[in-house]
Every structure is written in C-alpha cells, then in structure tokens.
C-alpha cells in the first residue's frame, strides 16, 4: 500500500544554516500528490506546500520542495534556518481518490542560535 | 477562514471509562477525520467520514468508534478507555472533491487525552 518515510525524527540546526528534511514515498499509482504540513507548538498542523508535478519546484514561506517521481522523493528545503522554523514537519501523500492522506512520522526541527 | 473546533481541549479519564471527543467544522466540508498523534508515530488516521450518518475505518480503528450525526459534527468515542490511548487527538476536515487542489486538510486545535 501507500506509505511515506521521513528518515529523520529529530533535526537540530544552527540558525542560518540550510534546512533539508527528507521525505520519500511509496505508491502503487502512477499519480503522486505530495504535501508538507507544519505543526508549531500549541497550534494546529497546517499546510506548508504541495505538489503533483514532476520535477517542478514549489515554494512557500521561504521553503521549497521538488517532487521527483523517479526517486519517489519530496524533500523540504530552506536556504537559511530561522529560530521561528522550529516545529514538527509532516510529509504526506494523498491517495488517488483525493480523500485520504498518508502521513509520515514527522521530523521535529529545532533551530538554535 | 476555515474553522475546526474541538472539545474538550484536554481531558483526564480513568481506565475502563467512556470518553467522547467532539469536533465541529464550519467549512461546509464533506470529509472529516480523526487522527491521533504520538511521538515517534506522527499522525495516524483512526476514522473518517465523507457523509453524515456514515463513518469509515482508518488505519488504527481498534478501540475507537466514530459518529457523524451531521455534516458539521464528528465525534470520536472510546467505549473503554485504556492507558495506550493516551495521546493528542486531532480532528480535520477537507472538501474531498475537486481533486488534488481541494484536498487540503484543515485541522482543529487538538485534544490532549490522558488515561490513568
């Protein structure tokens, strides 16, 4: 069945360094719809960015990701980490019925001064 | 803006007791979901519903029931609460139609459940 793997459970970075959070997925369908959700402490998870187009970069709030169907990956990147980026990040795959999401286990990002 | 509310925001329950978590959305969305969040497991789908008076099992339905009495309301019921059900529970809603561009899920603030 469909699944999402986020290798890193915890990532600690110094402010100003680049961010890269890994996400790979598995699906039996040719179409893949990938999402990144961000969950700040004491808030609700919310959509950060999404993509369904192969090899096209999508950007939002300084973060970017490119869906690579050849490697089944959708890594989240940012050129320079900020303290305010500290949060839990979920990668998610949408099934082809457009109804159910498969969430990864999440990566907790902590940015330190 | 989309709005999903949950009640209670936190609850302490005793083992073997009955717990009901409620979710209300004003988004006019057809789809509603219940997830639990645990450290190391992320968000896992318990039950979901795409129409009133009907619910579907998600990935981890054992020990949980769900009820969707109206489009706006979706409840999660723990008939016999157990220690292992201590977690944070999130409700979400989505349009569910129109394909990928309308698939965004809007989450509630969460309910922290502690079973003692």
């Amino acid at each position: 069945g469909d699944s999402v793997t986020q290798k890193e459970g915890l990532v600690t970075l110094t402010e100003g360094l680049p961010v890269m959070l890994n996400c790979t997925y598995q699906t039996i369908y040719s179409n893949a719809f990938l999402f990144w959700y961000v969950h700040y402490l004491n808030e609700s998870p919310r959509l950060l960015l999404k993509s369904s187009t192969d090899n096209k970069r999508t950007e939002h709030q300084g973060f970017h990701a490119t869906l690579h169907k050849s490697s089944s990956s959708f890594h989240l990147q940012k050129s320079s980490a900020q303290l305010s980026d500290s949060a839990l990040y979920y990668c998610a795959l949408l099934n082809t019925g457009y109804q159910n999401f498969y969430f990864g286990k999440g990566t907790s990002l902590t940015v330190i001064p | 803006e989309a709005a999903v509310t949950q009640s209670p925001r936190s609850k302490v329950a005793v083992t073997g007791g009955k717990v009901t978590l409620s979710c209300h959305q004003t988004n006019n969305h057809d789809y509603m979901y219940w997830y639990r969040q645990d450290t190391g497991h992320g968000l896992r789908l318990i039950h979901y519903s795409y129409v009133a008076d009907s619910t579907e099992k998600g990935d981890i339905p054992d020990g949980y029931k769900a009820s969707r009495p109206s489009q706006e309301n979706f409840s999660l019921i723990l008939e016999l609460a157990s220690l292992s059900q201590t977690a944070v529970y999130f409700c979400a809603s989505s349009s569910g139609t129109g394909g990928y561009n309308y698939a965004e899920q809007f989450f509630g603030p969460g309910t922290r459940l502690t079973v003692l």
Side-chain angles (χ1 to χ4, degrees):
Chain A
D2 292 1
S3 66
V4 173
T5 300
Q6 293 180 250
K7 280 192 315 186
E8 311 100 352
L10 294 167
V11 172
T12 301
L13 282 175
T14 301
E15 190 178 15
L17 290 181
V19 178
M20 180 156 168
L21 305 184
N22 285 290
C23 173
T24 56
Y25 64 92
Q26 189 173 339
T27 179
I28 61 174
Y29 301 102
S30 58
N31 287 334
F33 306 94
L34 274 295
F35 299 73
W36 277 100
Y37 277 79
V38 60
H39 187 192
Y40 295 102
L41 189 63
N42 297 324
E43 295 185 12
S44 306
R46 63 173 187 258
L47 180 66
L48 180 58
L49 46 78
K50 63 183 182 183
S51 179
S52 65
T53 306
D54 198 12
N55 297 317
K56 182 179 177 182
R57 174 171 161 146
T58 182
E59 299 189 34
H60 186 61
Q61 295 184 329
F63 287 90
H64 63 92
T66 303
L67 177 58
H68 292 295
K69 293 186 179 181
S70 60
S71 58
S72 299
S73 66
F74 190 55
H75 305 319
L76 182 67
Q77 300 183 69
K78 187 177 185 185
S79 59
S80 175
Q82 298 177 286
L83 297 176
S84 59
D85 294 330
S86 296
L88 186 56
Y89 292 82
Y90 289 105
C91 183
L93 168 71
L94 176 64
N95 77 349
T96 56
Y98 311 120
Q99 295 136 19
N100 290 345
F101 282 77
Y102 297 89
F103 283 88
K105 293 184 178 181
T107 298
S108 178
L109 174 65
T110 301
V111 181
I112 58 175
Chain B
E1 171 132 350
V4 179
T5 56
Q6 295 181 231
S7 63
R9 293 295 311 279
S10 67
K11 183 170 181 66
V12 178
V14 295
T15 305
K18 182 176 180 178
V19 176
T20 300
L21 307 182
S22 299
C23 179
H24 179 80
Q25 55 105 352
T26 58
N27 305 329
N28 198 32
H29 285 164
D30 288 328
Y31 282 79
M32 295 186 75
Y33 307 81
W34 276 107
Y35 294 92
R36 66 175 280 173
Q37 182 185 52
D38 302 272
T39 302
H41 289 281
L43 289 166
R44 293 184 289 174
L45 182 64
I46 306 170
H47 285 287
Y48 67 98
S49 168
Y50 54 85
V51 68
D53 295 322
S54 177
T55 64
E56 306 292 332
K57 293 180 179 179
D59 299 326
I60 53 164
D62 293 345
Y64 302 94
K65 289 184 179 179
S67 173
R68 182 93 181 269
S70 63
Q71 187 194 42
E72 300 80 14
N73 296 293
F74 191 36
S75 297
L76 185 68
I77 304 147
L78 290 65
E79 295 277 4
L80 295 169
S82 66
L83 295 174
S84 64
Q85 293 177 312
T86 293
V88 179
Y89 292 84
F90 286 97
C91 177
S93 74
S94 73
S95 173
T97 57
Y100 153 79
N101 284 318
Y102 298 91
E104 178 181 354
Q105 295 201 348
F106 295 87
F107 285 85
T111 295
R112 184 174 297 277
L113 175 65
T114 302
V115 182
L116 302 176

